[in-house]
Amino acid sequence: MDVIIRVCHYLPVTCTITSTTARDGVLSPPPTPPHILTDVPPSLSDELPPPTPLTQPERWKLTPRYGHSAMMSSIRSLSVTREQVILGWTGDILSPGAPPDGSSSPDGDINLSTSERVPSVRDCIPSRISQEDKDTLDVELAQYTDKLGLTTPEPKTGKPITHLPLWMEDNVAHGHHDGYCKQTLWPLFHYLLWQDVATEHASADANYEYYEQANQAFATRLASVLQPGDLVWVHDYHLLLVPHMLRNAMHSGAVSGVGGESGGDVVIGLFVHTPFPSSEVFRCLPRRKEILDGMLGANLICFQTYSYTRHFTSTCVRVCGYETTSRGAASASASRGASVVPCGAGGSGAGGTGGSKATLSANGTGSTCGTSLTRGSKSGVEKYVGIDVQGHVAAVTHCPVGVDAERVARDTLRAGIQPKLEALRALYADKKIIVGRDKLDVVKGVLQKLRAFEKFLHDYPEWQRKVVLIQVTSPALTDSPKLERQVSDLVAHINGEYGSLDFIPVHHYHQTLRKDEFYALLSAADLGVITPLRDGMNTTSMEFVIAQERTKRSPLVLSEFMGISQHMADALQVNPWDLGDVAAAMNRGLVMSEQEKASRHAALHKVVTTHTSHTWAAVLAKMLLSQINGQNTARQTPYIPRDRLKELYDNAGKRLFLFDYDGTLTPIVKMPSMALPSPDALAALAKLTSDPNNIVYIVSGRDQAFLEEHLGHFPRLGMSAEHGGFIRSPDSAEWMNFTASLDMGWMEEVAEIFRYYTERTTGSHIEMKKSSITWHYRSTDPEWGQFQCRQCQDLLENNVVPKRPIEVLVGKKNLEVRPIAVNKGEIVKRILYQNPGVEFIFCAGDDKTDEDMFRALLLFPPSSISKATMEPPLSVTLVDNTKEHSDIELAVAPEAVFTTAVGHSSKRTLASWHVTTPEEVVEHMLYLVGETPQGEEVKGYL
C-alpha cells in the first residue's frame, strides 16, 4: 500500500463539539426563543412563513490547529504524490465559545456573543464524550476538506490525507503532555534539569506512568491500522517509546497480516524536533534506558543537526553500552526505482506513486542533510552511523527542518502589511529598529538579550537615543510569573537608565501578534536579534530573512546554540551568554555596509529558500524508503514457528539440543559473574534432560569451573567449555581437552600484548583460560575501550596471527584469541557425528562464535532433498586417531533442523530462525515440554 503514517502528538485539527447526544443523563437545553416578536425577521409576504423542517445540526466543528507550521507544510507537500495518514491525539475537546487555542479560564469560558459562561475545556473530557459522538468525529474527519488551513486549493492530482483521532483519558493525556513531557523531557533536552523549571518538590520520575500509557495507546492504535508496505514516521519527544512498543506489537502477531513473523518488516522513522543533550546531561534522567530503548526501536532516527546525532550516539554507547556500526542501506533510487529531481526553491515536495516505485522531488541538492552518511555511491548504497541493539541496527542521521518558503513569501505580500509597515517607519523615522520575537521561556534567552542590549547602549554611547529594541514575547506553553516579572523589571531598568520623557529605548510587548503585524515588524527591522540559550529549529530567523527580501535586507544576529545556526553561516553568530559579544554583534550589524548586507542576505536567502520544509519531507521520505531494501534488512530471518517446532519435536524419536549460555539462556550483563540462570531456565533444562530421548549440550565460551558450578547438578547435561576447547559428555564427570596435542606457546606472547593494553585502559582485565585468552573491556570508558580494542586487534592480526595457528575473535566488549582448530562448530560436528540417529535438532546462539555452530548445521546442500552425509570432523580424528573413521548418514530431515539466532530479525546470521530475547528461548523450551514460564511476562526486546 505504501502509505506514510505520520504519528504526531496532536492532530492538526482543533475539534469543537457543537451538538452532542445526551450524556451523563443530562439533556441539552432547547435554544432560547426571541424575547419580543419584533426580534423575528419579517417575512417577504404578510403571511406566516411555512414551518421549516428540523435538521440535525453538525456535532463537530473542525478548524486548523496552529503551530508546527513546518511539519504541516511538509505534509501538504508529500500529499502531492503520496497518500498519508495522520494519527494524533484529539487534544482537549473544546466546547462552544471556548478559545480556539484551547485555553480556558479557571471558572470556565465566556461566549463573547452571549456573555454567558459555557463549560470550560476541562468540562468536556473524553470520558464524557459518547461513543456515538466519537464515531461521528471519525466520519467528519474523513470528510474534512480544509486541508490544514490552506489558502489555495489542493491540486486535483493530490493524494488523500486521512486523520485518525486518538482518544485518551484526561488524566493520562495531561499527565503525559503537561507532566512528563513539559516538566521532565523538555527541560532536559534544553540543558535544564527539572528543578530549574519547577518547584522544590519536582521529581524527575513523576508522571512517567502517564507518558508510558500514552505512548502505548499510540502504538496500539497504530498497530490496528498498519498495513504491509506502510512507512511509519513518528514525530518528536512526546512519543519516544512508540517505535519500541510498535515493534513489540508487530512481533507479537497482534495484527493479522503484519505481526508475527513479518513484524520485523515494518519500517519506522523517528524525527526529534528538539535538541538532544550531551550524554552527561541525559544520563541524569532516571528513565534514560527506557527512553533510549524506545527510540532505538526505529529503523531510522533523525535529528536537526550533526551535533545532536553525535550526542545521541555517544549517549547510547556510554549509558546503555551499545556499540556503533556502519549501516548500509540501499538508496531509494536503487531499491525502489525512485529518483530525486531538483525542482527549484520552494518546490512542491516529495512522494511516490503508491506502488512499488516512488518518485521523490527535492529542492536543491540536499547537501546539508545527513553529512554522517555517504551518498551517491556507485553501488547505490548509503552509509549511516548505526546503533547495534541485539542485531537490530538503528540508523542515525540528521536533516534540518526548514519553513514553507513559498507560503511565507506570499504572506509577506498580504494587503494589511504595507499600512502597518509605513506606520512603523513613520513612528521610528529617525531611529534604527532592532527586532526580537521569542516565546517567554527560560531557554529563549530574553533576559540575556535585554542585558546585552543594555551593555550595547553602555559600550556604544553613540547609539543612545538612536536605536530602539522592539521585543515581542509570546506566551509560553507553561506560565512563568517569575520570568515575566524579571523581564518587566529589566525593561523598566533599561528605560529608566537610558530613556527619557520623549524616548523609550525598549518596547516590550507580551502578546501574540497577528500575521500582518508580525511580518510588518520583521520587514521594518534594521537588525534581527534571535539569541536563544538552546533551541532546535527557530522559524522566526528564517521568516526574518524572507521578509527582508523586499525591504532593507538587514543582517541577522543568531545564537550559535540553535539547531539552524550551522546552516546560516552568514548570520552574525554569537554566544548569548557573552553579553559583550552580543553587544558587539549588534553594533556591527547596525554599521554594516550596504554591500555586505546584500551579500550576507543573498547567501541566507538561498539557504532558507532552498532547504525548506518541502525538501526536508522529501529527504526524510527518501531515507525511509532506503531502509526497506538496505543491506542489513536484505534478509529478514523469520520468527521461529512454535507450533511447527512442537509438532516435529513430538514426532522425533531422538532429539539434540545445543545452547549457548551468555545471551541465549541468560541476558548479557555488565559483570559476567552475575549472569546466572533463571529459575525458568533451570526448570527447562531439568525437564529436557530428564527425557532419555533428548541429548542436551551447553556449548559456551565459559570455563569449566563456571559451568560446573551453575549447571553441574544436571547429570545428563553435556557441556562444552571455552568455545569448544573442552567437552564433558552427558552422564560423565570427565572433561576431554582438545588442545592437549596443539602448540599453545602463543599464549604468553598474546598475554604480553593484552597486559600492555590493560595497563593503558582503566577498567579492562584479562581472562586466562586453558585453551584461549580473552581481554575484557566492558567496564572501561566505552569509546576509549572500543578504540583500544581496535588498536589491539590490528596489532594481533598484523604481527602475531600470520606466524601462529590462531584466530582473533571480536566479541561483545571483549577480544579473544584461540587456536584455529578449536571452535563451537567443531564440537557440534563431533556431537552430531557421534549421534547420527537424531531426528530433531534445536540450536540457539546469539553472537559471532555461535555462527560456527549454525555453519556446522548447514547439512543439506541445495541439490540434496532429504538425506545428509557427514565426514569425520577434525574434533573426532584429532582425539580418536587410533581407529579408522568413515562417512555416516544422518537421520535428520531438513525441516527438523532449527538453527535459531537470538536477536532482531534483521541480524546478519546463518541461522534459519530467530527469537528476540533469551527469555523467549526459555519460553520455547518450556513449551516443548508442556510447561509455562513462572517468572515475569516475556516481552520482546525490539
mmCIF file of all heavy atoms in Angstrom, residues 688-730:
data_model
loop_
_atom_site.group_PDB
_atom_site.id
_atom_site.type_symbol
_atom_site.label_atom_id
_atom_site.label_comp_id
_atom_site.label_asym_id
_atom_site.label_seq_id
_atom_site.Cartn_x
_atom_site.Cartn_y
_atom_site.Cartn_z
ATOM 1 N N LEU A 688 14.062 -31.103 30.034
ATOM 2 C CA LEU A 688 14.628 -31.638 28.794
ATOM 3 C C LEU A 688 15.591 -32.791 29.075
ATOM 4 O O LEU A 688 15.580 -33.817 28.387
ATOM 5 C CB LEU A 688 15.340 -30.524 28.026
ATOM 6 C CG LEU A 688 14.460 -29.474 27.340
ATOM 7 C CD1 LEU A 688 15.312 -28.366 26.740
ATOM 8 C CD2 LEU A 688 13.595 -30.112 26.251
ATOM 9 N N THR A 689 16.448 -32.624 30.073
ATOM 10 C CA THR A 689 17.447 -33.673 30.348
ATOM 11 C C THR A 689 16.831 -34.898 31.003
ATOM 12 O O THR A 689 17.438 -35.987 30.985
ATOM 13 C CB THR A 689 18.569 -33.112 31.235
ATOM 14 O OG1 THR A 689 17.995 -32.567 32.446
ATOM 15 C CG2 THR A 689 19.356 -32.034 30.518
ATOM 16 N N SER A 690 15.650 -34.749 31.575
ATOM 17 C CA SER A 690 15.012 -35.916 32.203
ATOM 18 C C SER A 690 14.426 -36.878 31.180
ATOM 19 O O SER A 690 14.115 -38.025 31.511
ATOM 20 C CB SER A 690 13.907 -35.456 33.166
ATOM 21 O OG SER A 690 12.856 -34.810 32.454
ATOM 22 N N ASP A 691 14.267 -36.430 29.949
ATOM 23 C CA ASP A 691 13.736 -37.284 28.885
ATOM 24 C C ASP A 691 14.896 -38.054 28.257
ATOM 25 O O ASP A 691 15.816 -37.445 27.681
ATOM 26 C CB ASP A 691 13.023 -36.430 27.836
ATOM 27 C CG ASP A 691 12.273 -37.274 26.814
ATOM 28 O OD1 ASP A 691 12.659 -38.437 26.578
ATOM 29 O OD2 ASP A 691 11.295 -36.757 26.217
ATOM 30 N N PRO A 692 14.907 -39.399 28.318
ATOM 31 C CA PRO A 692 16.035 -40.173 27.769
ATOM 32 C C PRO A 692 16.194 -40.030 26.260
ATOM 33 O O PRO A 692 17.258 -40.366 25.719
ATOM 34 C CB PRO A 692 15.686 -41.616 28.156
ATOM 35 C CG PRO A 692 14.209 -41.622 28.388
ATOM 36 C CD PRO A 692 13.870 -40.268 28.914
ATOM 37 N N ASN A 693 15.177 -39.534 25.564
ATOM 38 C CA ASN A 693 15.280 -39.345 24.118
ATOM 39 C C ASN A 693 15.957 -38.019 23.749
ATOM 40 O O ASN A 693 16.166 -37.745 22.574
ATOM 41 C CB ASN A 693 13.891 -39.380 23.484
ATOM 42 C CG ASN A 693 13.260 -40.755 23.538
ATOM 43 O OD1 ASN A 693 13.969 -41.769 23.419
ATOM 44 N ND2 ASN A 693 11.950 -40.820 23.735
ATOM 45 N N ASN A 694 16.256 -37.187 24.754
ATOM 46 C CA ASN A 694 16.876 -35.882 24.489
ATOM 47 C C ASN A 694 18.363 -35.911 24.824
ATOM 48 O O ASN A 694 18.771 -36.432 25.867
ATOM 49 C CB ASN A 694 16.202 -34.790 25.323
ATOM 50 C CG ASN A 694 14.765 -34.541 24.898
ATOM 51 O OD1 ASN A 694 14.375 -34.875 23.778
ATOM 52 N ND2 ASN A 694 13.976 -33.949 25.783
ATOM 53 N N ILE A 695 19.157 -35.345 23.928
ATOM 54 C CA ILE A 695 20.578 -35.113 24.171
ATOM 55 C C ILE A 695 20.751 -33.591 24.250
ATOM 56 O O ILE A 695 20.473 -32.877 23.276
ATOM 57 C CB ILE A 695 21.450 -35.694 23.047
ATOM 58 C CG1 ILE A 695 21.179 -37.189 22.882
ATOM 59 C CG2 ILE A 695 22.921 -35.420 23.312
ATOM 60 C CD1 ILE A 695 21.798 -37.771 21.614
ATOM 61 N N VAL A 696 21.178 -33.100 25.401
ATOM 62 C CA VAL A 696 21.225 -31.663 25.642
ATOM 63 C C VAL A 696 22.656 -31.244 25.963
ATOM 64 O O VAL A 696 23.288 -31.834 26.868
ATOM 65 C CB VAL A 696 20.282 -31.248 26.789
ATOM 66 C CG1 VAL A 696 20.251 -29.720 26.919
ATOM 67 C CG2 VAL A 696 18.867 -31.787 26.557
ATOM 68 N N TYR A 697 23.157 -30.227 25.240
ATOM 69 C CA TYR A 697 24.510 -29.707 25.463
ATOM 70 C C TYR A 697 24.457 -28.188 25.657
ATOM 71 O O TYR A 697 23.687 -27.486 24.976
ATOM 72 C CB TYR A 697 25.419 -30.002 24.270
ATOM 73 C CG TYR A 697 26.124 -31.331 24.331
ATOM 74 C CD1 TYR A 697 25.514 -32.484 23.831
ATOM 75 C CD2 TYR A 697 27.398 -31.437 24.871
ATOM 76 C CE1 TYR A 697 26.160 -33.716 23.872
ATOM 77 C CE2 TYR A 697 28.060 -32.665 24.917
ATOM 78 C CZ TYR A 697 27.436 -33.795 24.422
ATOM 79 O OH TYR A 697 28.080 -35.013 24.462
ATOM 80 N N ILE A 698 25.291 -27.703 26.570
ATOM 81 C CA ILE A 698 25.582 -26.275 26.672
ATOM 82 C C ILE A 698 26.929 -26.061 25.993
ATOM 83 O O ILE A 698 27.948 -26.634 26.426
ATOM 84 C CB ILE A 698 25.657 -25.807 28.141
ATOM 85 C CG1 ILE A 698 24.338 -26.113 28.866
ATOM 86 C CG2 ILE A 698 25.971 -24.313 28.201
ATOM 87 C CD1 ILE A 698 23.144 -25.359 28.325
ATOM 88 N N VAL A 699 26.969 -25.280 24.935
ATOM 89 C CA VAL A 699 28.205 -25.017 24.193
ATOM 90 C C VAL A 699 28.540 -23.547 24.413
ATOM 91 O O VAL A 699 27.986 -22.658 23.776
ATOM 92 C CB VAL A 699 28.033 -25.329 22.693
ATOM 93 C CG1 VAL A 699 29.363 -25.180 21.972
ATOM 94 C CG2 VAL A 699 27.470 -26.731 22.501
ATOM 95 N N SER A 700 29.469 -23.302 25.339
ATOM 96 C CA SER A 700 29.689 -21.936 25.827
ATOM 97 C C SER A 700 31.155 -21.539 25.754
ATOM 98 O O SER A 700 32.047 -22.382 25.609
ATOM 99 C CB SER A 700 29.195 -21.838 27.281
ATOM 100 O OG SER A 700 29.528 -20.593 27.845
ATOM 101 N N GLY A 701 31.369 -20.241 25.876
ATOM 102 C CA GLY A 701 32.732 -19.735 25.997
ATOM 103 C C GLY A 701 33.206 -19.705 27.434
ATOM 104 O O GLY A 701 34.373 -19.391 27.704
ATOM 105 N N ARG A 702 32.327 -19.995 28.366
ATOM 106 C CA ARG A 702 32.692 -20.021 29.788
ATOM 107 C C ARG A 702 33.682 -21.152 30.081
ATOM 108 O O ARG A 702 33.772 -22.129 29.337
ATOM 109 C CB ARG A 702 31.436 -20.231 30.632
ATOM 110 C CG ARG A 702 30.437 -19.099 30.541
ATOM 111 C CD ARG A 702 30.838 -17.947 31.430
ATOM 112 N NE ARG A 702 29.782 -16.934 31.523
ATOM 113 C CZ ARG A 702 29.738 -15.997 32.455
ATOM 114 N NH1 ARG A 702 30.690 -15.936 33.364
ATOM 115 N NH2 ARG A 702 28.765 -15.123 32.476
ATOM 116 N N ASP A 703 34.391 -21.000 31.212
ATOM 117 C CA ASP A 703 35.333 -22.055 31.578
ATOM 118 C C ASP A 703 34.602 -23.204 32.284
ATOM 119 O O ASP A 703 33.416 -23.099 32.610
ATOM 120 C CB ASP A 703 36.478 -21.511 32.439
ATOM 121 C CG ASP A 703 35.998 -20.865 33.735
ATOM 122 O OD1 ASP A 703 34.885 -21.191 34.191
ATOM 123 O OD2 ASP A 703 36.733 -20.015 34.274
ATOM 124 N N GLN A 704 35.341 -24.271 32.531
ATOM 125 C CA GLN A 704 34.733 -25.476 33.104
ATOM 126 C C GLN A 704 34.166 -25.219 34.500
ATOM 127 O O GLN A 704 33.091 -25.705 34.848
ATOM 128 C CB GLN A 704 35.788 -26.594 33.162
ATOM 129 C CG GLN A 704 36.368 -26.953 31.797
ATOM 130 C CD GLN A 704 37.788 -27.437 31.885
ATOM 131 O OE1 GLN A 704 38.714 -26.642 31.788
ATOM 132 N NE2 GLN A 704 37.986 -28.736 32.090
ATOM 133 N N ALA A 705 34.912 -24.446 35.308
ATOM 134 C CA ALA A 705 34.503 -24.238 36.696
ATOM 135 C C ALA A 705 33.151 -23.539 36.773
ATOM 136 O O ALA A 705 32.289 -23.913 37.584
ATOM 137 C CB ALA A 705 35.569 -23.423 37.431
ATOM 138 N N PHE A 706 32.944 -22.518 35.923
ATOM 139 C CA PHE A 706 31.677 -21.786 35.961
ATOM 140 C C PHE A 706 30.516 -22.690 35.565
ATOM 141 O O PHE A 706 29.465 -22.699 36.223
ATOM 142 C CB PHE A 706 31.742 -20.581 35.026
ATOM 143 C CG PHE A 706 30.485 -19.745 35.026
ATOM 144 C CD1 PHE A 706 30.346 -18.669 35.891
ATOM 145 C CD2 PHE A 706 29.425 -20.031 34.170
ATOM 146 C CE1 PHE A 706 29.188 -17.911 35.907
ATOM 147 C CE2 PHE A 706 28.264 -19.288 34.172
ATOM 148 C CZ PHE A 706 28.149 -18.213 35.045
ATOM 149 N N LEU A 707 30.685 -23.461 34.501
ATOM 150 C CA LEU A 707 29.606 -24.327 34.034
ATOM 151 C C LEU A 707 29.278 -25.406 35.074
ATOM 152 O O LEU A 707 28.100 -25.711 35.319
ATOM 153 C CB LEU A 707 29.987 -24.974 32.706
ATOM 154 C CG LEU A 707 30.124 -24.014 31.509
ATOM 155 C CD1 LEU A 707 30.547 -24.783 30.262
ATOM 156 C CD2 LEU A 707 28.821 -23.263 31.252
ATOM 157 N N GLU A 708 30.287 -25.958 35.697
ATOM 158 C CA GLU A 708 30.034 -26.988 36.696
ATOM 159 C C GLU A 708 29.358 -26.410 37.936
ATOM 160 O O GLU A 708 28.504 -27.044 38.547
ATOM 161 C CB GLU A 708 31.347 -27.682 37.077
ATOM 162 C CG GLU A 708 31.856 -28.631 36.007
ATOM 163 C CD GLU A 708 33.083 -29.401 36.469
ATOM 164 O OE1 GLU A 708 33.822 -28.872 37.330
ATOM 165 O OE2 GLU A 708 33.309 -30.511 35.964
ATOM 166 N N GLU A 709 29.745 -25.177 38.304
ATOM 167 C CA GLU A 709 29.167 -24.560 39.496
ATOM 168 C C GLU A 709 27.671 -24.323 39.347
ATOM 169 O O GLU A 709 26.899 -24.565 40.278
ATOM 170 C CB GLU A 709 29.880 -23.238 39.796
ATOM 171 C CG GLU A 709 29.298 -22.500 41.000
ATOM 172 C CD GLU A 709 29.959 -21.159 41.223
ATOM 173 O OE1 GLU A 709 30.900 -20.806 40.469
ATOM 174 O OE2 GLU A 709 29.521 -20.423 42.144
ATOM 175 N N HIS A 710 27.257 -23.838 38.167
ATOM 176 C CA HIS A 710 25.863 -23.427 37.997
ATOM 177 C C HIS A 710 24.995 -24.463 37.288
ATOM 178 O O HIS A 710 23.770 -24.421 37.423
ATOM 179 C CB HIS A 710 25.806 -22.102 37.234
ATOM 180 C CG HIS A 710 26.473 -20.973 37.958
ATOM 181 N ND1 HIS A 710 25.947 -20.399 39.085
ATOM 182 C CD2 HIS A 710 27.650 -20.333 37.715
ATOM 183 C CE1 HIS A 710 26.753 -19.436 39.513
ATOM 184 N NE2 HIS A 710 27.793 -19.381 38.705
ATOM 185 N N LEU A 711 25.605 -25.384 36.530
ATOM 186 C CA LEU A 711 24.810 -26.352 35.777
ATOM 187 C C LEU A 711 25.253 -27.791 36.006
ATOM 188 O O LEU A 711 24.684 -28.717 35.420
ATOM 189 C CB LEU A 711 24.889 -26.033 34.274
ATOM 190 C CG LEU A 711 24.397 -24.640 33.856
ATOM 191 C CD1 LEU A 711 24.687 -24.397 32.376
ATOM 192 C CD2 LEU A 711 22.909 -24.475 34.120
ATOM 193 N N GLY A 712 26.257 -27.961 36.845
ATOM 194 C CA GLY A 712 26.807 -29.307 37.036
ATOM 195 C C GLY A 712 25.884 -30.254 37.763
ATOM 196 O O GLY A 712 26.145 -31.472 37.787
ATOM 197 N N HIS A 713 24.804 -29.760 38.367
ATOM 198 C CA HIS A 713 23.904 -30.655 39.101
ATOM 199 C C HIS A 713 22.940 -31.397 38.185
ATOM 200 O O HIS A 713 22.111 -32.177 38.657
ATOM 201 C CB HIS A 713 23.117 -29.848 40.144
ATOM 202 C CG HIS A 713 22.336 -28.704 39.569
ATOM 203 N ND1 HIS A 713 22.945 -27.530 39.144
ATOM 204 C CD2 HIS A 713 21.004 -28.547 39.340
ATOM 205 C CE1 HIS A 713 22.018 -26.698 38.707
ATOM 206 N NE2 HIS A 713 20.836 -27.289 38.804
ATOM 207 N N PHE A 714 23.016 -31.138 36.866
ATOM 208 C CA PHE A 714 22.221 -31.916 35.909
ATOM 209 C C PHE A 714 23.114 -33.038 35.354
ATOM 210 O O PHE A 714 23.959 -32.780 34.485
ATOM 211 C CB PHE A 714 21.721 -31.039 34.758
ATOM 212 C CG PHE A 714 20.777 -29.948 35.175
ATOM 213 C CD1 PHE A 714 21.141 -28.615 35.043
ATOM 214 C CD2 PHE A 714 19.519 -30.246 35.693
ATOM 215 C CE1 PHE A 714 20.280 -27.602 35.420
ATOM 216 C CE2 PHE A 714 18.649 -29.233 36.079
ATOM 217 C CZ PHE A 714 19.027 -27.911 35.952
ATOM 218 N N PRO A 715 22.962 -34.251 35.813
ATOM 219 C CA PRO A 715 23.896 -35.320 35.394
ATOM 220 C C PRO A 715 23.817 -35.636 33.908
ATOM 221 O O PRO A 715 24.821 -36.023 33.304
ATOM 222 C CB PRO A 715 23.462 -36.526 36.251
ATOM 223 C CG PRO A 715 22.045 -36.232 36.655
ATOM 224 C CD PRO A 715 21.951 -34.746 36.771
ATOM 225 N N ARG A 716 22.658 -35.450 33.292
ATOM 226 C CA ARG A 716 22.507 -35.809 31.877
ATOM 227 C C ARG A 716 22.706 -34.601 30.946
ATOM 228 O O ARG A 716 22.349 -34.649 29.783
ATOM 229 C CB ARG A 716 21.134 -36.416 31.612
ATOM 230 C CG ARG A 716 20.917 -37.767 32.314
ATOM 231 C CD ARG A 716 19.764 -38.551 31.699
ATOM 232 N NE ARG A 716 20.069 -38.981 30.338
ATOM 233 C CZ ARG A 716 19.554 -38.434 29.237
ATOM 234 N NH1 ARG A 716 18.702 -37.407 29.335
ATOM 235 N NH2 ARG A 716 19.877 -38.882 28.038
ATOM 236 N N LEU A 717 23.288 -33.549 31.481
ATOM 237 C CA LEU A 717 23.552 -32.355 30.669
ATOM 238 C C LEU A 717 24.998 -32.373 30.202
ATOM 239 O O LEU A 717 25.936 -32.379 31.004
ATOM 240 C CB LEU A 717 23.286 -31.084 31.485
ATOM 241 C CG LEU A 717 23.580 -29.754 30.776
ATOM 242 C CD1 LEU A 717 22.640 -29.546 29.578
ATOM 243 C CD2 LEU A 717 23.442 -28.573 31.747
ATOM 244 N N GLY A 718 25.201 -32.397 28.867
ATOM 245 C CA GLY A 718 26.533 -32.293 28.321
ATOM 246 C C GLY A 718 26.995 -30.854 28.291
ATOM 247 O O GLY A 718 26.188 -29.927 28.178
ATOM 248 N N MET A 719 28.309 -30.638 28.393
ATOM 249 C CA MET A 719 28.837 -29.271 28.426
ATOM 250 C C MET A 719 30.108 -29.168 27.607
ATOM 251 O O MET A 719 30.950 -30.078 27.640
ATOM 252 C CB MET A 719 29.103 -28.830 29.867
ATOM 253 C CG MET A 719 27.848 -28.617 30.694
ATOM 254 S SD MET A 719 28.192 -28.014 32.360
ATOM 255 C CE MET A 719 28.688 -29.526 33.167
ATOM 256 N N SER A 720 30.218 -28.072 26.881
ATOM 257 C CA SER A 720 31.456 -27.752 26.173
ATOM 258 C C SER A 720 31.911 -26.378 26.645
ATOM 259 O O SER A 720 31.133 -25.425 26.614
ATOM 260 C CB SER A 720 31.238 -27.750 24.657
ATOM 261 O OG SER A 720 32.384 -27.265 23.990
ATOM 262 N N ALA A 721 33.155 -26.276 27.109
ATOM 263 C CA ALA A 721 33.676 -25.026 27.664
ATOM 264 C C ALA A 721 34.706 -24.411 26.722
ATOM 265 O O ALA A 721 35.284 -25.089 25.866
ATOM 266 C CB ALA A 721 34.296 -25.280 29.039
ATOM 267 N N GLU A 722 34.925 -23.120 26.929
ATOM 268 C CA GLU A 722 35.958 -22.365 26.210
ATOM 269 C C GLU A 722 35.825 -22.507 24.698
ATOM 270 O O GLU A 722 36.784 -22.810 23.988
ATOM 271 C CB GLU A 722 37.347 -22.778 26.688
ATOM 272 C CG GLU A 722 37.561 -22.512 28.169
ATOM 273 C CD GLU A 722 39.006 -22.707 28.608
ATOM 274 O OE1 GLU A 722 39.889 -22.642 27.726
ATOM 275 O OE2 GLU A 722 39.237 -22.896 29.808
ATOM 276 N N HIS A 723 34.611 -22.301 24.204
ATOM 277 C CA HIS A 723 34.333 -22.301 22.763
ATOM 278 C C HIS A 723 34.793 -23.585 22.080
ATOM 279 O O HIS A 723 35.294 -23.553 20.945
ATOM 280 C CB HIS A 723 34.995 -21.097 22.080
ATOM 281 C CG HIS A 723 34.496 -19.781 22.560
ATOM 282 N ND1 HIS A 723 33.186 -19.395 22.424
ATOM 283 C CD2 HIS A 723 35.125 -18.760 23.181
ATOM 284 C CE1 HIS A 723 33.035 -18.174 22.934
ATOM 285 N NE2 HIS A 723 34.188 -17.780 23.412
ATOM 286 N N GLY A 724 34.603 -24.701 22.739
ATOM 287 C CA GLY A 724 34.947 -25.973 22.120
ATOM 288 C C GLY A 724 36.295 -26.523 22.518
ATOM 289 O O GLY A 724 36.711 -27.563 22.002
ATOM 290 N N GLY A 725 37.000 -25.880 23.437
ATOM 291 C CA GLY A 725 38.301 -26.390 23.866
ATOM 292 C C GLY A 725 38.184 -27.621 24.728
ATOM 293 O O GLY A 725 39.089 -28.476 24.743
ATOM 294 N N PHE A 726 37.065 -27.718 25.462
ATOM 295 C CA PHE A 726 36.849 -28.859 26.350
ATOM 296 C C PHE A 726 35.412 -29.332 26.205
ATOM 297 O O PHE A 726 34.504 -28.539 25.928
ATOM 298 C CB PHE A 726 37.117 -28.473 27.810
ATOM 299 C CG PHE A 726 38.525 -28.019 28.069
ATOM 300 C CD1 PHE A 726 38.893 -26.697 27.846
ATOM 301 C CD2 PHE A 726 39.474 -28.909 28.521
ATOM 302 C CE1 PHE A 726 40.191 -26.280 28.072
ATOM 303 C CE2 PHE A 726 40.780 -28.495 28.756
ATOM 304 C CZ PHE A 726 41.143 -27.178 28.528
ATOM 305 N N ILE A 727 35.206 -30.632 26.439
ATOM 306 C CA ILE A 727 33.856 -31.176 26.359
ATOM 307 C C ILE A 727 33.665 -32.233 27.431
ATOM 308 O O ILE A 727 34.605 -32.994 27.747
ATOM 309 C CB ILE A 727 33.572 -31.775 24.957
ATOM 310 C CG1 ILE A 727 32.088 -32.153 24.841
ATOM 311 C CG2 ILE A 727 34.464 -32.954 24.679
ATOM 312 C CD1 ILE A 727 31.680 -32.533 23.425
ATOM 313 N N ARG A 728 32.470 -32.224 28.031
ATOM 314 C CA ARG A 728 32.091 -33.250 29.003
ATOM 315 C C ARG A 728 30.779 -33.854 28.541
ATOM 316 O O ARG A 728 29.779 -33.158 28.411
ATOM 317 C CB ARG A 728 31.929 -32.634 30.397
ATOM 318 C CG ARG A 728 31.866 -33.655 31.507
ATOM 319 C CD ARG A 728 31.522 -33.022 32.843
ATOM 320 N NE ARG A 728 30.070 -32.846 32.974
ATOM 321 C CZ ARG A 728 29.474 -32.485 34.116
ATOM 322 N NH1 ARG A 728 30.202 -32.217 35.186
ATOM 323 N NH2 ARG A 728 28.163 -32.359 34.166
ATOM 324 N N SER A 729 30.780 -35.143 28.280
ATOM 325 C CA SER A 729 29.592 -35.806 27.751
ATOM 326 C C SER A 729 28.544 -35.986 28.841
ATOM 327 O O SER A 729 28.869 -35.976 30.040
ATOM 328 C CB SER A 729 29.966 -37.171 27.168
ATOM 329 O OG SER A 729 30.910 -37.028 26.137
ATOM 330 N N PRO A 730 27.273 -36.160 28.459
ATOM 331 C CA PRO A 730 26.234 -36.455 29.451
ATOM 332 C C PRO A 730 26.567 -37.723 30.231
ATOM 333 O O PRO A 730 27.164 -38.675 29.696
ATOM 334 C CB PRO A 730 24.974 -36.643 28.594
ATOM 335 C CG PRO A 730 25.244 -35.887 27.335
ATOM 336 C CD PRO A 730 26.714 -36.023 27.101
#
